[in-house]
Amino acid sequence: ESNEVWLSLQVATYDRLRHTLLEIHPKSKLEDEVREFSSFSTRVGEFLETFSDLLAGPSDPESQQYVQPVVEQCEAIREEYGMHATLTKQLHDFSTRMESLRESYTNLRRAVLSRLTFLTSAVPALTASMRRKEEYVARLKDLKKWVEVKSQGETWKDINSRIQSIKSLIEREQQTLQDAKRERDASGAQ
């Protein structure tokens, strides 16, 4: 039983964490944005590479003077772009995992919280139970016989006669007190 309580507490804690990750997260629309722009990082990388190759084409000094700063900026963006691509991929992977978890969590929770039933043979337990019941009935019979024997002995008769004499003494005293009260009431009324 304590294991069930502990397991329920763990599931409740996980439910809170899941609520934060799976319920609040989709409300922020981040998951939709990640899914929509998952190919953006690949397209931008390809665009920057094509654009750098295009700008590297002119060989005259005058064109190089104007194109060189743009090519350098493009290369700087491509170097920093690796971190963006990694982040976008990780967000997409996270979104995919959360979607998978969302679909299977209900079944997992039901399986974890279901009570386990062990099927065993009931014959040994039933036999032991019947033996204990028979032993109890036998002890009860022994006890009844003992009480009957003790109640028939001289000691019981002595105690019983004393109780009867005390009872009659109390009844006489009570009758005397009632008679005295009636006499007082009768003399006070006159």
Side-chain angles (χ1 to χ4, degrees):
E1 188 173 311
S2 62
N3 286 340
E4 284 183 33
V5 171
W6 179 246
L7 188 60
S8 295
L9 286 172
Q10 288 176 328
V11 168
T13 304
Y14 182 73
D15 278 343
R16 283 188 177 175
L17 177 64
R18 181 181 170 272
H19 175 73
T20 302
L21 292 177
L22 300 180
E23 305 305 326
I24 295 173
H25 174 68
K27 290 178 185 172
S28 69
K29 303 296 183 201
L30 177 64
E31 198 168 311
D32 295 335
E33 298 292 325
V34 166
R35 202 175 296 117
E36 185 177 336
F37 292 104
S38 63
S39 63
F40 177 74
S41 59
T42 309
R43 291 186 307 195
V44 168
E46 291 171 359
F47 170 76
L48 289 174
E49 188 175 332
T50 305
F51 189 65
S52 294
D53 291 344
L54 179 68
L55 291 177
S59 59
D60 61 29
E62 188 177 326
S63 296
Q64 283 291 339
Q65 174 185 354
Y66 294 111
V67 173
Q68 189 60 32
V70 176
V71 170
E72 289 173 2
Q73 284 181 350
C74 189
E75 288 300 320
I77 291 173
R78 282 179 64 190
E79 287 175 14
E80 292 179 13
Y81 182 71
M83 290 185 289
H84 179 268
T86 303
L87 177 64
T88 307
K89 183 182 180 322
Q90 288 174 349
L91 283 173
H92 185 264
D93 292 346
F94 175 76
S95 174
T96 305
R97 281 193 305 273
M98 289 299 110
E99 203 170 300
S100 298
L101 280 176
R102 193 176 296 122
E103 293 170 4
S104 63
Y105 176 72
T106 306
N107 293 330
L108 174 69
R109 187 174 195 277
R110 189 179 321 120
V112 165
L113 292 179
S114 66
R115 292 181 180 249
L116 296 178
T117 305
F118 295 103
L119 298 176
T120 58
S121 175
V123 174
L126 186 60
T127 304
S129 174
M130 291 300 291
R131 186 176 38 80
R132 285 192 304 267
K133 183 178 178 182
E134 290 170 357
E135 185 178 334
Y136 174 76
V137 169
R139 295 297 165 255
L140 200 57
K141 285 180 183 177
D142 290 344
L143 185 60
K144 284 181 181 179
K145 286 180 185 176
W146 180 81
V147 168
E148 285 177 13
V149 167
K150 289 299 181 182
S151 68
Q152 299 301 321
E154 290 297 317
T155 308
W156 172 253
K157 288 181 182 177
D158 290 342
I159 292 173
N160 193 22
S161 66
R162 285 184 188 170
I163 290 175
Q164 292 300 327
S165 65
I166 292 172
K167 180 181 174 186
S168 63
L169 179 67
I170 291 173
E171 287 174 350
R172 280 190 306 238
E173 257 323 292
Q174 191 175 13
Q175 187 64 37
T176 307
L177 289 173
Q178 286 178 354
D179 291 342
K181 183 178 178 185
R182 279 189 218 138
E183 285 178 16
R184 271 184 284 151
D185 288 342
S187 66
Q190 291 177 354

